[in-house]
Amino acid sequence: MKAFVATTMPVRKPPLWRVRGTITPRQYWLLAAAGLVVPLLLWWLLATFGGVERVFLPAPQDVVTRIVTWWRDDNLAGDIGISVYRVVAGWALSALIALPLGLMIGSYRPVQALLEPLTDFIRYMPAVAFIPLCMLWVGIDEGSKISIIFIGTFFQMVLMVAEDVRRVPMAQIEAAQTMGATRTELIEKVILPSAKPALVDTLRVTMGWAWTYLVVAELVAANSGLGYAILKAQRFLQTDKIFAGIILIGAIGLVIDQCFRFAHRRAFPWLSARN
């Protein structure tokens, strides 16, 4: 009887640097940790052995100490809370208006012709230049700070939403039209469901932009908030507090970004599996 010899081919791992290739979760988290730790280590080495004065470049431990004293003595929790409120309020107001407006611009050519050039024009105007007008229009209370964040994000958000809507394949729209779909049905049952993943990504990206306008917004007669604390620390050359404020803003933004990514994975699992 002829012996059956099973042959096994060696399984080759896919190359790590393949274009649009995949990596294992372990590789991902190792690289992510390295991406965070290496700059921190370089910062510590430069501050400790680089001969740079601490007033110009505080060491990481100085910044951590400042965060602890800020929390204990200067109401850091209150500063974080008011800054989060201002950013989320300005961004949410933008989203509330930009989503339907972008949907209309992306769906109907007459609306696009009427509003897109104007939106394109205004988005190049610096949000800082609107500070005097915001103070004049809505006063110096919370409304002016939220208005600056709104102006900084709204016009970009409208154009990104319109572009997301325009990326919906025309074949889907034509197929629905041949089956007799009305304009409302086209938007509700074809365009919106198809554009939803891109719209969530647009909201995530613009939330990051909203945080970049925080310091500008808290220029307006503020007496609290992370941006205000950074500006106040600048006057007294407290660079460790400036670093602490910047790092805290980055950390809060990272947490919000990860929440958006988690929601995107849960809402559209087929896209996560593909990517």
Side-chain angles (χ1 to χ4, degrees):
M1 181 178 175
K2 191 174 179 180
F4 177 78
V5 180
T7 59
T8 57
M9 295 292 291
V11 178
R12 295 182 61 187
K13 291 183 179 178
L16 188 63
W17 297 105
R18 190 175 58 176
V19 175
R20 292 201 175 182
T22 57
I23 59 175
T24 64
R26 183 169 176 270
Q27 289 171 327
Y28 176 87
W29 288 112
L30 281 174
L31 290 169
L36 292 172
V37 170
V38 170
L40 190 64
L41 185 62
L42 291 174
W43 174 19
W44 177 76
L45 288 172
L46 185 62
T48 306
F49 303 107
V52 184
E53 289 288 338
R54 288 290 177 91
V55 72
F56 297 115
L57 183 66
Q61 60 268 28
D62 299 332
V63 176
V64 173
T65 304
R66 171 60 75 173
I67 291 174
V68 172
T69 56
W70 190 355
W71 178 274
R72 191 181 57 208
D73 304 330
D74 288 338
N75 192 23
L76 174 57
D79 287 331
I80 291 175
I82 192 67
S83 290
V84 169
Y85 164 70
R86 288 164 181 161
V87 169
V88 172
W91 171 85
L93 187 61
S94 290
L96 192 66
I97 305 172
L99 284 173
L101 196 57
L103 179 63
M104 296 297 287
I105 292 174
S107 300
Y108 297 108
R109 282 297 178 88
V111 183
Q112 179 185 356
L114 184 68
L115 295 178
E116 196 170 52
L118 176 67
T119 311
D120 249 336
F121 170 63
I122 298 176
R123 80 181 171 115
Y124 285 104
M125 298 180 181
V128 183
F130 285 90
I131 288 178
L133 294 175
C134 288
M135 293 172 70
L136 191 65
W137 292 335
V138 296
I140 59 172
D141 295 329
E142 290 304 311
S144 57
K145 300 161 187 65
I146 293 170
S147 300
I148 293 297
I149 294 171
F150 171 82
I151 291 169
T153 56
F154 172 72
F155 299 100
Q156 305 278 358
M157 195 187 291
V158 169
L159 294 173
M160 289 180 72
V161 168
E163 200 57 40
D164 293 338
V165 170
R166 277 196 287 265
R167 286 201 191 101
V168 174
M170 197 60 201
Q172 293 181 11
I173 297 171
E174 288 173 345
Q177 284 173 328
T178 58
M179 289 187 284
T182 62
R183 284 199 296 266
T184 306
E185 287 172 336
L186 276 176
I187 290 177
E188 286 181 357
K189 298 181 179 176
V190 178
I191 294 175
L192 263 180
S194 184
K196 266 183 189 173
L199 293 176
V200 174
D201 265 338
T202 292
L203 293 176
R204 178 177 65 81
V205 171
T206 50
M207 169 57 86
W209 292 348
W211 277 99
T212 65
Y213 286 101
L214 176 67
V215 177
V216 174
E218 292 183 345
L219 278 171
V220 186
N223 55 13
S224 61
L226 293 173
Y228 166 75
I230 290 172
L231 294 169
K232 187 179 172 187
Q234 180 189 358
R235 292 180 213 147
F236 300 102
L237 213 59
Q238 295 173 326
T239 47
D240 54 348
K241 192 166 186 176
I242 295 172
F243 268 76
I246 293 170
I247 289 171
L248 285 169
I249 289 174
I252 295 168
L254 181 63
V255 169
I256 295 175
D257 193 83
Q258 290 303 312
C259 290
F260 267 106
R261 287 179 186 276
F262 177 75
H264 193 280
R265 284 196 298 272
R266 294 300 299 266
F268 315 109
W270 63 92
L271 288 177
S272 302
R274 188 193 306 167
N275 296 327

